[in-house]
Amino acid sequence: MSSRTTYIGAVEIGTSKITVLVGEYTGRELAIIGHGECSSRGVIKGTVVDYKAASESTHSALEQAERDAGERIDGVFLAQTGGHLEGFYNEASVNVKASDNMIEPGDVRTVCDLAKSKELPSGRMVVHNIRRPFRVDGRLVPGNPENLVGQRLEVGYWTVHGQEQRLADNIHVIRGFNLEVRELVLASLASGHMITTPEERQHGVLAIDIGAGTTDYVLYRDGAPHTTGVVPVGGTHLTNDLSIGLRLTEGQAEKLKLRFGRADVRAKDRTQKVWLDGNFAIGDRQFPQMAIEQITSARAWELLEVVRRKLGSAFSPETCASGVVLSGGTAKLAGLADVAARVFGVPAHLGEAPTWVRENMRDPGYHTALGLLYYGVSSQAEKAGPARRGGGFLTGMKRLFAST
Amino acid sequence: MNSEIAPSPATRSWREIPQPVKPRAMSSGGRWRLVMAGVRSLALVLFIAGCGWGVWLIVGALHEDPRRRPAEAKAVPMRPPELKTMRDGVLDHAWLARTLELPPRVSLLELDLDQLSARVLADQQVLTVAMRKIFPDRLEVQITERTPVARVHVAMGDTPRDLLVARDGVVFFGTGFDPLMVRSLPWLEGITLEQDGARFQPIPHMADVARILAEAQFSAPHLYHQWHSVSLARMELDREVEVTLKTGTKARFSAKGNIFVQLAHLDDIVERLGRNSGARARIDLTLGREVPVTLETASADPRSVPLIGGGVHASPLFPRSSSKTKREL
């Protein structure tokens, strides 16, 4: 990144809404200066299915954010989600070349290239190559292994890949506004970085972002992302279930879900009923509360069970000492943290944005967009090299978030 | 473990997806941004081109051939240059016209002031010159002249010439000065003029000589008018000047001493000598209050002055009570 000020847009094209944040990045510090939001159209389960509708709503959010910021966006960090995203783990090892067994940059480069070199199926493209910590003769090395002494250097990469056409569709929606996509960031990584602390990531933590159409998760171990995944199930499925089960329109079902939906069943009395609108107007109806809770809780349990199953052996309570952190709009469903704790067997809580994030950005629905800016900028800053001044990037961001 | 596999070039990243899209795939906002980006690029190109053109014009103007100047600029003929001399200068418009040698019907734009200034300064009589173009047709020339304090006789080849010397030692021909004033200047002796091309190198120590002459001219004009020549032969070593009066009497001044006091002594001695019916003497004013006077004529009355030594008369002629003030002079 150059030292001149750039205006970066963080765009999350979600199933229910499209969120755009504008960040002013000076090369050292980041400040959120604009915000745009628009209800999403043409997007199902995180995938663009109607280019024109998706473009219109995205561009509307972009225009709104630019107006709010009073600046033109130079480039965009775009969140990626959807069922087409998959991941696999690949590792490689090399024998250290030097006669004194001191690891040289060439050894590191070779082992990294080897670990990333697995061929993808046709039509698939790499979105992220997430490196896990190096190992020197089986010993874990969290940082750079250069100049350490050992005979064998190992490294593994968690590679996230997606379908080329779907990635291109997302990029072209942004390009339709004549903006350059500078970085694709997995939505789970973005929100995960926002709601977990470095200590939690070091001890092991599972971050689950439950959106409207998809559920993104990332499991951190040893301070780095270990496994990521996407389940194409989200809050709209709960609404659908309510709609079908109680014979309601989607709007009515959504209203009931938000007001009375729970991830666990608390109602004791089957006859206890709740009003749809509560205004006793014509068309206002009563529904059994237990039925609502049973429907939403069944889907919530199922969703978390699916995540548990997809994680497989990568997850164990022993390697996830910091528990489960939930985020996303659907994470606000009452009782979801308790259910998550029971499903995963570890403590669970609703994720919160760091204290330096201003009040109107603290809703779980913004975690991904905030994380996009944070993760995208910090990853680019890492590529550009270490910061020249003391205080660190995070300190600067905290100060600026607090002042805005 | 798959350390045996070679890096595969088939692993493709999302960055390989071509980002440009056709304008028809853009929204109206996107198309507007595209147009504005084009306009900005065009404005940038035009700005750079404008800057380049400006630089080219400036460079061209700096190297412009005067003959290629527009006819309108050449159409305004210049009036005769206007001369302004500082203080009591004697150079006139005729001299200026001769010196500048401006071609007829020349325009102001065609004049090279540096060249003209050099031409004016070639005359050593001119100390400083300032030229100013006043458009459309006036050239103002302001000069400061050197004032002569002495004259010198020089044999230039076969032709002897009388030249003037300024207080800064510069030797110049002297144009336009009143002949009476020139004749009143004392001659310089005991110097060797060194030629530097068409001019002479300045005479050293002339500032001291000019100070003595100026003091004499101001404080004792009757004495100054009797001065025939001033010798600088002892200036380099002793800082002394020998003045020869028209009567043949020689008086030696010290440039380090008080000139006024030395003049007062000289005035008194010359007055006494005058009473001795044209006696010539050598007067040494360099010793302060003691003023040895050596009479050179045998007819002089030895009683008129006290004798010190053998055949040569020397005496302190000024008792303390008899010294004259400047007002009396």
Side-chain angles (χ1 to χ4, degrees):
Chain A
M1 279 261 172
S2 66
S3 58
R4 78 178 181 90
T5 302
T6 50
Y7 298 96
I8 299 161
V11 181
E12 184 197 9
I13 303 175
T15 306
S16 72
K17 70 177 185 342
I18 292 162
T19 309
V20 178
L21 295 182
V22 182
E24 185 184 35
Y25 182 54
T26 59
R28 233 168 21 88
E29 294 174 335
L30 177 72
I32 307 293
I33 60 169
H35 166 234
E37 197 173 307
C38 188
S39 61
S40 180
R41 285 179 292 120
V43 181
I44 294 176
K45 295 182 183 175
T47 303
V48 174
V49 293
D50 182 342
Y51 177 83
K52 194 163 184 288
S55 292
E56 279 173 3
S57 44
T58 306
H59 298 176
S60 167
L62 281 165
E63 278 175 10
Q64 196 182 329
E66 279 193 336
R67 265 200 308 277
D68 190 33
E71 295 288 348
R72 294 171 63 84
I73 297 171
D74 299 316
V76 161
F77 294 156
L78 180 61
Q80 278 304 297
T81 183
H84 67 104
L85 294 172
E86 291 173 11
F88 65 86
Y89 179 66
N90 191 41
E91 66 179 10
S93 62
V94 292
N95 291 323
V96 177
K97 280 182 187 167
S99 56
D100 58 356
N101 286 339
M102 187 175 278
I103 297 169
E104 293 174 351
D107 296 322
V108 177
R109 211 165 33 244
T110 306
V111 75
C112 287
D113 287 345
L114 282 170
K116 287 191 284 189
S117 64
K118 189 167 183 181
E119 198 169 339
L120 294 174
S122 167
R124 307 290 295 181
M125 282 187 150
V126 172
V127 178
H128 278 293
N129 274 315
I130 302 163
R131 184 175 57 76
R132 291 185 185 171
F134 288 94
R135 284 179 185 277
V136 177
D137 294 340
R139 174 167 50 107
L140 197 73
V141 178
N144 192 336
E146 277 176 35
N147 301 326
L148 292 177
V149 175
Q151 292 182 335
R152 198 155 185 79
L153 177 65
E154 299 165 61
V155 74
Y157 272 88
W158 177 260
T159 300
V160 181
H161 56 96
Q163 206 173 337
E164 181 178 350
Q165 290 84 356
R166 295 194 187 181
L167 294 174
D169 285 344
N170 281 344
I171 289 171
H172 289 161
V173 165
I174 302 299
R175 286 298 301 161
F177 199 59
N178 198 34
L179 278 173
E180 177 202 2
V181 176
R182 291 195 179 169
E183 199 74 60
L184 285 188
V185 182
L186 212 57
S188 56
L189 286 178
S191 60
H193 257 74
M194 210 61 200
I195 57 173
T196 59
T197 62
E199 291 76 24
E200 285 176 329
R201 294 197 284 271
Q202 189 64 41
H203 297 140
V205 65
L206 174 65
I208 304 175
D209 180 350
I210 309 174
T214 58
T215 296
D216 303 88
Y217 61 88
V218 54
L219 174 67
Y220 292 95
R221 274 164 61 174
D222 302 319
H226 184 273
T227 306
T228 64
V230 183
V231 179
V233 178
T236 51
H237 294 85
L238 275 72
T239 309
N240 264 339
D241 292 347
L242 281 175
S243 170
I244 293 164
L246 301 176
R247 299 183 183 186
L248 293 167
T249 62
E250 272 196 21
Q252 291 169 330
E254 180 72 16
K255 207 181 293 179
L256 275 185
K257 181 186 82 175
L258 294 177
R259 289 173 62 197
F260 306 109
R262 285 193 65 88
D264 52 353
V265 181
R266 287 282 174 91
K268 306 286 183 198
D269 187 358
R270 283 179 181 278
T271 59
Q272 187 183 345
K273 295 198 172 176
V274 293
W275 288 93
L276 175 61
D277 295 321
N279 56 5
F280 309 109
I282 296 170
D284 199 6
R285 287 190 286 159
Q286 283 190 315
F287 297 95
Q289 186 169 0
M290 183 176 276
I292 297 169
E293 289 180 0
Q294 280 173 337
I295 292 170
T296 52
S297 103
R299 182 61 91 168
W301 272 88
E302 184 194 10
L303 173 59
L304 295 172
E305 288 285 358
V306 170
V307 173
R308 176 79 167 85
R309 273 201 303 278
K310 285 195 78 170
L311 279 169
S313 60
F315 176 85
S316 69
E318 293 76 29
T319 56
C320 192
S322 296
V324 177
V325 186
L326 301 167
S327 71
T330 308
K332 288 183 283 186
L333 188 72
L336 192 66
D338 295 337
V339 173
R342 273 186 274 167
V343 170
F344 291 97
V346 290
H349 66 273
L350 191 61
E352 285 185 1
T355 50
W356 38 266
V357 176
R358 59 180 168 172
E359 202 54 43
N360 62 341
M361 290 282 158
R362 298 185 67 81
D363 188 88
Y366 293 123
H367 288 169
T368 305
L370 282 170
L372 259 183
L373 273 181
Y374 169 65
Y375 184 83
V377 167
S378 53
S379 67
Q380 292 210 350
E382 274 171 24
K383 282 178 198 169
R388 286 178 192 169
R389 291 193 189 178
F393 175 78
L394 188 61
T395 311
M397 263 193 63
K398 279 179 184 174
R399 192 170 59 248
L400 278 155
F401 268 87
S403 64
T404 49
Chain B
M1 299 278 179
N2 50 7
S3 59
E4 303 307 316
I5 61 170
S8 165
T11 306
R12 298 192 303 151
S13 164
W14 70 269
R15 293 187 188 279
E16 292 169 37
I17 296 172
Q19 291 215 15
V21 294
K22 292 173 181 162
R24 66 179 167 79
M26 289 184 169
S27 64
S28 57
R31 276 194 289 273
W32 174 248
R33 288 174 66 96
L34 187 65
V35 169
M36 289 310 292
V39 168
R40 275 202 305 276
S41 304
L42 187 65
L44 184 67
V45 169
L46 287 176
F47 175 73
I48 292 169
C51 289
W53 186 56
V55 169
W56 182 78
L57 280 182
I58 291 168
V59 170
L62 291 174
H63 293 93
E64 197 173 4
D65 183 354
R67 286 169 297 185
R68 292 180 58 199
R69 285 190 183 125
E72 290 79 4
K74 290 200 282 188
V76 183
M78 208 185 79
R79 284 197 275 174
E82 185 179 335
L83 177 67
K84 285 189 176 176
T85 55
M86 302 298 283
R87 293 181 297 189
D88 51 349
V90 294
L91 296 174
D92 55 9
H93 283 85
W95 169 85
L96 185 64
R98 275 199 316 276
T99 308
L100 292 179
E101 291 178 333
L102 296 178
R105 295 194 62 76
V106 69
S107 81
L108 207 56
L109 277 174
E110 294 172 78
L111 297 182
D112 183 348
L113 293 188
D114 291 338
Q115 195 183 357
L116 292 178
S117 298
R119 213 178 281 172
V120 171
L121 286 171
D123 190 331
Q124 295 279 73
Q125 189 171 335
V126 179
L127 183 65
T128 63
V129 62
M131 290 192 182
R132 192 158 64 112
K133 288 179 178 179
I134 303 171
F135 286 95
D137 58 355
R138 279 175 63 202
L139 174 69
E140 187 183 272
V141 182
Q142 202 165 23
I143 61 172
T144 316
E145 294 175 35
R146 287 192 169 87
T147 309
V149 295
R151 50 185 170 153
V152 64
H153 192 72
V154 181
M156 298 178 76
D158 295 335
T159 320
R161 281 208 61 168
D162 293 345
L163 303 181
L164 302 181
V165 183
R167 64 179 296 114
D168 56 0
V170 171
V171 180
F172 58 97
F173 286 100
T175 308
F177 287 107
D178 180 8
L180 278 176
M181 188 277 287
V182 173
R183 274 202 294 277
S184 72
L185 296 173
W187 295 97
L188 285 186
E189 290 176 349
I191 53 168
T192 307
L193 284 180
E194 289 179 23
Q195 203 153 4
D196 181 13
R199 44 176 79 172
F200 294 100
Q201 284 195 349
I203 299 169
H205 308 299
M206 265 310 287
D208 290 333
V209 177
R211 190 163 56 89
I212 294 169
L213 293 174
E215 187 72 45
Q217 203 173 8
F218 175 72
S219 305
H222 57 286
L223 271 181
Y224 176 77
H225 287 308
Q226 292 180 39
W227 289 11
H228 175 261
S229 63
V230 179
S231 172
L232 277 69
R234 298 173 66 89
M235 192 66 185
E236 184 70 39
L237 288 175
D238 301 329
R239 308 272 289 163
E240 289 174 5
V241 171
E242 191 171 68
V243 175
T244 305
L245 275 61
K246 286 173 182 167
T247 57
T249 297
K250 293 180 187 293
R252 193 185 299 169
F253 284 85
S254 169
K256 295 179 283 187
N258 187 328
I259 305 298
F260 178 73
V261 173
Q262 293 177 64
L263 282 171
H265 288 177
L266 179 63
D267 185 39
D268 194 24
I269 293 167
V270 167
E271 192 183 331
R272 292 185 189 204
L273 286 172
R275 290 201 290 269
N276 283 341
S277 63
R280 291 197 302 175
R282 297 183 74 87
I283 305 163
D284 190 353
L285 301 162
T286 62
L287 301 177
R289 293 174 58 191
E290 305 294 323
V291 182
V293 177
T294 308
L295 293 175
E296 292 183 345
T297 51
S299 60
D301 182 4
R303 289 173 301 175
S304 62
V305 289
L307 290 175
I308 298 174
V312 196
H313 303 281
S315 165
L317 292 180
F318 289 90
R320 188 176 299 170
S321 59
S322 64
S323 63
K324 294 187 176 183
T325 62
K326 186 174 181 178
R327 189 174 298 165
E328 289 168 327
L329 280 168

